[in-house]
Each structure stands twice: as C-alpha cells, then as structure tokens.
C-alpha cells in the first residue's frame, strides 16, 4: 500500500501509518524511560534482569518502523521484518518477565544462563534460513509456534509477577505493560486467523489497526508510569517536604 491510493484505501493507509508511528514513538519513549529507571532507581540485584525487557521494547521499535516502511513506501522485506520483530518482542519479554518472577520468589531461574541465547539463536537461525530459502510454509510454522508459545508465556508470567511484586515499582511497571502485551497478542491472533482461516482481510486489518494503536498508547503510558515512580522516589527525599526539620 502507498499514500498514492485514493478514497477509502487512502484513509486506511494513513490510519495504519499513524498506528505504526504511535508504536514507534511509544516504544522509543519507553526505551528511554526504562534506561533511566534501571540506572537510577532499581537496586543492583534487579538491574541485570531488565536487559531482556529493553531488547523486547527495542523489537517493538523495529516493528513500528518496519510497518511504516511497508505502509508508506512498500519497502521489500518490510513485512517479514515486522513479523520477526513481533516474534522477538514476545520472546525477549518472556525471558525478562520470567526472570523477575523467579528473583522475587528467591528462586534460581529454571533456564540455564546460556538457555535464552540458545532459544533466541535457534529462532533467529530457523526464521532467517526459512526466509532465505523462500520456504514460506516453514517460516509461517516458526512464526506461529514462536508467537503462540512466547505470547502465552509472557502474559501468564506478567500476571504472576504483578501479584508477587504487589506494592513495588516493578509491579507498577509490569501492570502498565500488561495491556500492551494483551493488545499485541490480539494483533497476533488476528493475523494468524487471517493466515489460516477464511476470515475477511478487512476484519483482520481493522483488528490490526485498533490493536496497534492501543499498543502504542499503552507503551507510552508505561513510560509515564515509570516517570511517576521516579518522581515518587525523588519526593521521598525532597528536603522541602520534610516535617519537623529545619534547614
């Protein structure tokens, strides 16, 4: 699709472009806020567990940019990058959220330290080999299996982490990120249904449009929640609000 289309097609194209722009901006703002949150607020014990989440948010940036490239300029390969970015968004977040849950419960991660690299590397190799060999059925199978498992795994452990971490800044951040995960899962489900069933492409596009806009909005609100957490911590040490103290 290009912006040279007219009528309803042009409206849909502009709407999709704005939706992908919202995801790109929301993910970039969240990535910036996460960096400050990890460096300035989190205790040392928790810091190393957050790079997976940062990588997942970075994948959301790639998703938004690839979507813009496809909608605005029909760049070759952009749709494949978009699907791959969606897959790795959930894969990275799955490992990140599971690690946070294990840490708070005092558990060792059930996955060896090299495990995530093997899984991620395996998906990267499988996806790119299938794409390079133009094995469409194999690529779709990798996408479907990876998205189904990673999406379910991430959402389940996001809910569990919020319950275990209740009252902490981590719970606040994950709670705000959870709606973005659910909306992204809706986009995934719609695309998979469109791929394997006879659902109307118009329905798939409509769900994708609404879901993508909501993903961008929730990524941005997660960044706002992080900034609020930082503000609360700074106010705790604000000398202008202390009671019974003199300067």
């Amino acid at each position: 699709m290009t912006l040279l289309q007219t009528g309803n097609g042009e409206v849909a194209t502009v709407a999709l472009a704005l939706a992908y722009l919202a995801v790109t901006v929301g993910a970039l703002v969240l990535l910036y806020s996460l960096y400050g949150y990890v460096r300035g607020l989190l205790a040392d014990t928790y810091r190393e567990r957050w790079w997976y989440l940062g990588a997942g948010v970075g994948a959301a940036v790639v998703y938004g940019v690839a979507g813009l490239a496809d909608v605005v300029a029909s760049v070759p390969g952009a749709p494949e990058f978009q699907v791959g970015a969606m897959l790795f968004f959930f894969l990275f977040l799955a490992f990140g959220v599971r690690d946070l849950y294990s840490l708070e419960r005092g558990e060792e991660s059930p996955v060896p330290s090299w495990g995530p690299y093997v899984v991620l590397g395996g998906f990267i190799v499988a996806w790119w080999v299938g794409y390079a060999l133009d094995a469409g059925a194999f690529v779709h199978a990798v996408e479907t299996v990876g998205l189904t498992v990673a999406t379910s795994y991430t959402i389940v452990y996001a809910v569990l982490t919020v319950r275990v971490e209740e009252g902490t800044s981590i719970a606040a951040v994950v709670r705000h990120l959870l709606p973005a995960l659910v909306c992204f899962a809706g986009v995934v489900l719609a695309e998979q249904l469109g791929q394997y069933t006879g659902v109307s492409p118009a329905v798939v596009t409509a769900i994708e449009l609404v879901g993508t806009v909501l993903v961008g909005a929730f990524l941005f609100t997660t960044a706002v929640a992080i900034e609020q957490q930082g503000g609360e911590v700074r106010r705790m040490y604000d000398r202008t609000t202390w009671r019974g103290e003199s300067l």
Side-chain angles (χ1 to χ4, degrees), residues 181-211:
L181 296 175
V182 173
C183 291
F184 228 148
V187 174
V188 171
L189 178 61
E191 293 183 349
Q192 294 300 310
L193 288 175
Q195 186 173 330
Y196 293 107
T197 69
V199 175
S200 169
V203 173
V204 174
T205 300
I207 296 175
E208 180 183 11
L209 174 58
V210 174

Side-chain angles (χ1 to χ4, degrees), residues 32-111:
Y32 174 80
S33 297
L34 270 177
Y35 178 78
Y37 173 72
V38 173
R39 292 290 299 271
L41 294 180
L42 276 184
D44 290 343
T45 307
Y46 290 87
R47 290 183 181 178
E48 64 182 22
R49 305 292 180 115
W50 282 80
W51 83 266
Y52 284 124
L53 272 73
V57 176
V61 176
V62 176
Y63 173 86
V65 172
L68 279 172
D70 179 38
V71 170
V72 175
S74 298
V75 175
E80 286 76 16
F81 270 95
Q82 192 177 8
V83 175
M86 181 185 290
L87 172 61
F88 290 107
F89 171 81
F90 282 106
L91 283 174
F92 278 112
L93 263 63
F95 286 116
V97 174
R98 180 62 178 87
D99 273 358
L100 289 174
Y101 177 74
S102 299
L103 179 62
E104 185 60 23
R105 290 175 59 87
E107 301 174 354
E108 290 293 330
S109 174
V111 181

Side-chain angles (χ1 to χ4, degrees), residues 164-185:
V164 171
E165 296 276 5
E166 193 62 57
T168 69
S169 64
I170 288 177
V173 173
V174 177
R175 183 184 291 110
H176 281 83
L177 184 60
L178 184 57
L181 296 175
V182 173
C183 291
F184 228 148

Side-chain angles (χ1 to χ4, degrees), residues 75-164:
V75 175
E80 286 76 16
F81 270 95
Q82 192 177 8
V83 175
M86 181 185 290
L87 172 61
F88 290 107
F89 171 81
F90 282 106
L91 283 174
F92 278 112
L93 263 63
F95 286 116
V97 174
R98 180 62 178 87
D99 273 358
L100 289 174
Y101 177 74
S102 299
L103 179 62
E104 185 60 23
R105 290 175 59 87
E107 301 174 354
E108 290 293 330
S109 174
V111 181
S113 59
W114 45 265
Y117 301 104
V118 172
V119 174
L120 292 169
F123 270 103
I124 291 172
V125 171
W127 194 85
W128 278 109
V129 166
Y131 178 65
L133 296 177
D134 198 23
F138 178 74
V139 172
H140 290 158
V142 171
E143 293 169 356
T144 301
V145 172
L147 286 169
T148 302
V149 174
T151 302
S152 304
Y153 194 87
T154 306
I155 291 176
V156 167
Y157 276 103
V159 173
L160 292 175
T161 299
V162 170
R163 293 178 60 186
V164 171

